């Protein structure tokens, strides 16, 4: 291990105060870094809350926290993880860091707006934390804020949904910025078919952010209106309709699951060719499936409401549409596997995480079909089966996509390499931990354990305990990964421009990149996965 | 970092943003239509209680302000910042007018107990209550947009005065104008839905 100096690049201090240099920065790379650090911090909080939930469920009945505290903890766990960690994770952090670099641009289209988005994010995150400690106590509704309970409860729901509103606004502005950036700021020669698949994924995601998030904004605003001003929007006694709330909520929140997963798929599509030394199989199909997911994913929201009293026709239609949307996801998996076929595979950490992604995402996606078929959903709706499903896709999918992205771009961000053996060990521990943590939930759900319950029947004890053991293994994996990364940020071995010998533009810059991205505007002459002209900068 | 100007990019960004605003109100329009479908007669009855004269006046006021907004953009494009500033002030004046009329309308209703939880309204059947809940929410959110739009115009006014929004680079004013037209457009839908469905 060496501690040679690495040129600080865009991290270099310009001699101004820390606040001016970072919080008022217009540099997309610094903004990406700010997001990355905030997201990591909130992720740590969310993980700790999750561990507490699992601890409490170790035995039936009360172990060490009360019912109200339990409700508050799983609500804040969900709010933090979904709205503050997972939704912004890859687009806001890595999109900001690397999208302009992959386009050969100097910055995003609206740098000031970008800073503003980050502020909104920070204010929204802070507001969510404030809702924990003020008013009538932490919200206890679950992250979906279903009415009528969210309109009636005395806990601090108004502040929490205000946080969601602000975060949503931040997400819209990031999406808007990326769309314009991709349209307007591509380097000469960078045609649409030479765009990286990560950029394509961000493009599809950005459209969902822009088109779906306003619906969430208005919905949560209506909760505030109903609670604070006493207007009857969802209360049946005053002419409202609680089912309408569910429709409006899921019209956003189902597409939102694709805001969560598409960027991760983009990362995976960028990583796999690099570590197989092969051009991606079916570039255009992957692009097409991203857009198809974005489109079809907007039509299936009501599969969350099969048992809430829709007509049978509606149930059948939404069940059918749900099956349709599984197709493009499966197409991508086949494309990745075909890319690996007969490739010269290097099992570096980013690829290990990508493989973990494919495995866990498939586990979650297949159970999505069980939930999407109305008949089987009747049986497992609102049970632990659903909890298992969405954790496999969100944690196993988006989470692993995020980890893959960190391990792929870490040398570019810091100019140093982490310990590869430890990184691989952490990945394997995490895969074991996640299966231990969430697979028992499928079984619990099939046996009828409802979700969001503080207590349970004694026959569920052993599966719950298995899951809690899994949570500890997961924690060990996360801790090892984080420790490895933090230590390597200061003491890792210095690397050159292109340690993975990748062919996209960000790897032609020094690591870390300078403040002004490109000295001369690059001219692109080949696709992102054409490795024939890649220079061997490091001998690595 | 060099100042980067991209006229088309700026316009594109604004259009996408306006789209999100339409969707924001779209959620409310969906709520409106579902509720109307459920309580057609109650909506019909409740709508009679709104003051059509005031509503019509406000519609005229807002459309005229939109005209002034457009004229200010034309003024700047033709190289006349003074005219642009003048038309902005006219737009702002009419916007104030709109808000004052709205204030009288609302306070009149509230005096009559026609507000959520108000003594008159609570005794009515759910359909009429729903009408007024939606009325206050939608016109309230629209009013908020009027105020935001005024803020945007004030800001552009100072930029013209400071010489950073110029006949050569007028996209800030143009985007403010686009925003104002959206505010106008939404009102043009709200007006018949609430005042004229009797
Ligand atoms: C692409 C990544 C995906 C993510 C991030 C995701 C996320 C989620 C989340 C968070 C929930 C729980 C919502 C709640 O709290 O009530 C959920 C439920 C559900 N998911 Fe997914 N999902 C994904 C993919 C899929 C797929 C591919 C399908 C079907 C083909 C699917 C079908 C369902 C259904 C039907 C439910 C509702 C189950 C119920 O409440 O009974 N999901 N998903
Ligand atoms: Cu869904």
């Amino acid at each position: 291990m060496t501690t040679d100096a690495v040129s600080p690049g865009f991290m270099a201090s310009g001699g101004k105060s820390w606040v001016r240099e970072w919080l008022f920065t217009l540099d997309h790379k610094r903004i990406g870094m700010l997001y990355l650090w905030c997201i990591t911090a909130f992720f740590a909080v969310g993980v700790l809350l999750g561990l507490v939930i699992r601890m409490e469920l170790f035995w039936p009945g009360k172990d060490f926290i009360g019912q109200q505290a339990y409700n508050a903890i799983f609500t804040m766990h969900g709010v933090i993880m979904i709205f503050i960690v997972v939704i912004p994770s890859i687009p806001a952090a890595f999109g900001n860091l690397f999208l302009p670099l992959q386009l050969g641009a100097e910055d995003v289209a609206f740098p000031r707006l970008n800073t503003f988005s980050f502020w909104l994010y920070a204010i929204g995150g802070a507001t969510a934390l404030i809702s924990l400690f003020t008013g009538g106590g932490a919200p206890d509704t679950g992250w979906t804020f279903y009415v009528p309970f969210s309109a009636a409860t005395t806990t601090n729901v108004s502040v929490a949904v205000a946080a969601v509103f602000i975060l949503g606004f931040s997400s819209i502005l990031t999406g808007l910025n990326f769309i314009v950036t991709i349209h307007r700021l591509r380097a000469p020669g960078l045609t649409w078919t030479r765009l990286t698949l990560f950029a394509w994924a961000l493009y599809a995601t950005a459209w969902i952010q822009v088109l779906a998030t306003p619906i969430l904004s208005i919905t949560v605003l209506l909760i505030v209106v109903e609670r604070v001003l006493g207007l009857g929007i969802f209360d049946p006694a005053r002419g409202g309709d609680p089912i309408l709330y569910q429709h409006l909520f899921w019209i956003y929140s189902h597409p939102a699951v694709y805001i969560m997963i598409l960027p991760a798929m983009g990362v995976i599509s960028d990583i796999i060719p690099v570590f197989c030394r092969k051009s991606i199989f079916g570039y255009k199909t992957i692009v097409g499936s991203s857009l198809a997911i974005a489109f079809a994913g907007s039509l299936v929201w009501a599969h969350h409401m099969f048992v809430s009293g829709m007509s049978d026709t509606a149930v059948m239609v939404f069940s059918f549409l749900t099956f349709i949307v599984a197709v493009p996801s499966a197409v991508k998996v086949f494309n990745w596997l075909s890319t690996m076929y007969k490739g010269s595979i290097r099992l570096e950490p980013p690829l290990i995480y990508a493989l973990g992604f494919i495995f866990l995402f498939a586990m979650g996606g297949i159970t999505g079909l069980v939930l999407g078929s109305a008949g089987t959903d009747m049986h497992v709706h609102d049970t632990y089966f659903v909890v298992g499903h969405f954790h496999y896709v969100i944690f196993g999918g988006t989470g692993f996509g995020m980890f893959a992205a960190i391990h792929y771009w870490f040398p570019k961000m810091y100019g140093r390499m982490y310990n590869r053996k430890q990184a691989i060990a952490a990945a394997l521990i995490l895969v074991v931990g996640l299966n231990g943590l969430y697979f028992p939930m499928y079984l619990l759900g099939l046996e009828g354990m409802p979700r969001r319950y503080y207590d349970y029947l004694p026959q569920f004890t052993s599966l719950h305990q298995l899951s809690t053991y899994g949570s500890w293994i997961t924690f060990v994996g996360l801790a090892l990964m984080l420790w490895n990364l933090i230590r390597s940020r200061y003491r890792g071995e210095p690397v050159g421009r292109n340690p993975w010998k990748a062919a996209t533009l960000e790897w032609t810059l020094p690591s870390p990149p300078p403040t002004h991205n490109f000295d001369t505007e690059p001219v692109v002459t080949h696709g992102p996965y054409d490795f024939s002209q890649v220079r061997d900068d490091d001998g690595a | 970092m060099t100042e980067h100007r991209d006229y088309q990019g700026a316009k594109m960004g604004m259009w996408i943003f306006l789209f999100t605003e339409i969707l924001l109100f779209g959620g409310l329009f969906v709520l409106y239509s579902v509720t109307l479908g459920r309580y057609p007669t109650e909506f019909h009855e409740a709508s009679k209680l709104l003051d059509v004269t005031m509503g019509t006046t406000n519609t005229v006021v807002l459309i005229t302000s939109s005209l002034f907004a457009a004229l200010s953009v034309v003024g700047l494009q033709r190289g006349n910042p003074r005219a642009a500033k003048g038309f902005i002030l006219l737009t702002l004046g009419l916007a104030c007018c709109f808000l004052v009329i709205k204030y009288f309308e609302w306070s009149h209703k509230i005096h009559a107990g026609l507000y959520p939880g108000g003594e008159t309204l609570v005794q009515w059947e759910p359909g009429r209550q729903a009408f007024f809940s939606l009325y206050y929410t939608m016109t309230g959110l629209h009013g908020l947009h009027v105020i935001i739009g005024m803020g945007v115009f004030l800001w552009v006014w100072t930029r013209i005065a400071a010489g950073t929004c110029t006949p050569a680079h007028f996209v800030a004013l143009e985007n403010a104008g686009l925003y104002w037209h959206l505010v106008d457009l939404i009102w043009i839908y709200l007006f018949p839905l609430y005042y004229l469905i009797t």
Side-chain angles (χ1 to χ4, degrees), chain A residues 106 183-184 231-232 238 241, chain B residues 1 6 8 38 116 129 133:
Chain A
E106 209 174 290
H183 273 273
R184 303 289 307 161
L231 295 167
R238 289 177 288 177
D241 184 346
Chain B
M1 227 161 271
D6 177 3
Q8 282 198 26
R38 186 163 304 152
Q129 292 195 32
S133 291

Side-chain angles (χ1 to χ4, degrees), chain A residues 26-27 106-110 112 165 169 172-173 176 179-180 183-185 207 210-212 214-215 217-218 221-222 225 229-234 236-241 244 248 515-516, chain B residues 1-4 6-14 16-17 19-21 23-28 30-31 34-35 38-39 115-117 124-127 129-130 132-134 136-137 141:
Chain A
L26 297 180
D27 182 356
E106 209 174 290
D107 206 321
V108 291
F110 308 115
R112 268 175 244 277
F165 182 87
F169 208 42
I172 291 177
L173 294 179
L176 190 158
I179 293 175
V180 178
H183 273 273
R184 303 289 307 161
L185 297 184
W207 276 112
V210 164
L211 297 181
I215 314 279
S217 309
I218 192 64
L221 209 63
L222 290 173
V225 164
L229 305 175
L231 295 167
I233 305 284
F234 300 120
R238 289 177 288 177
D241 184 346
L244 276 178
L248 288 174
T515 305
H516 294 263
Chain B
M1 227 161 271
T2 49
E3 180 81 62
H4 145 97
D6 177 3
Y7 174 73
Q8 282 198 26
K11 282 256 293 229
M12 186 177 177
M14 191 64 198
I16 297 175
F17 179 71
F19 214 69
T20 69
E21 289 276 23
L23 286 163
L24 185 81
F25 277 94
L28 289 171
V30 168
L31 269 182
V34 173
T35 324
R38 186 163 304 152
Y39 306 109
Y115 59 92
W124 286 355
E125 66 277 33
Q129 292 195 32
F132 277 99
S133 291
L134 286 171
Y136 282 112
T137 311
L141 191 64

Side-chain angles (χ1 to χ4, degrees), chain A residues 250 253-255 257-258 297 300-304 322 389:
Chain A
W250 287 112
S253 293
H254 186 80
V257 310
Y258 299 106
V300 301
W301 74 89
H303 64 207
H304 297 268
T322 304
H389 156 71

Side-chain angles (χ1 to χ4, degrees), chain A residues 330-342:
Chain A
V331 165
K332 281 188 195 272
V333 173
F334 292 128
N335 278 318
W336 294 325
L337 297 180
S338 316
T339 306
M340 286 192 282
Y341 180 68
K342 288 195 178 162

Side-chain angles (χ1 to χ4, degrees), chain A residues 386-408:
Chain A
V386 176
V387 184
H389 156 71
F390 72 72
H391 280 95
Y392 265 102
V393 276
I394 298 184
F395 196 171
T398 315
F400 262 64
M402 181 85 182
F403 303 155
I406 294 180
H407 286 87
Y408 180 52

Side-chain angles (χ1 to χ4, degrees), chain A residues 505-534:
Chain A
L505 281 177
E506 75 269 31
W507 300 101
T508 62
L509 292 170
S511 316
T515 305
H516 294 263
N517 298 343
F518 296 90
D519 287 336
T520 48
E521 193 175 34
V523 176
V524 180
T525 52
H526 55 85
Y529 311 109
D530 175 357
F531 299 104
S532 57
Q533 299 167 34
V534 172

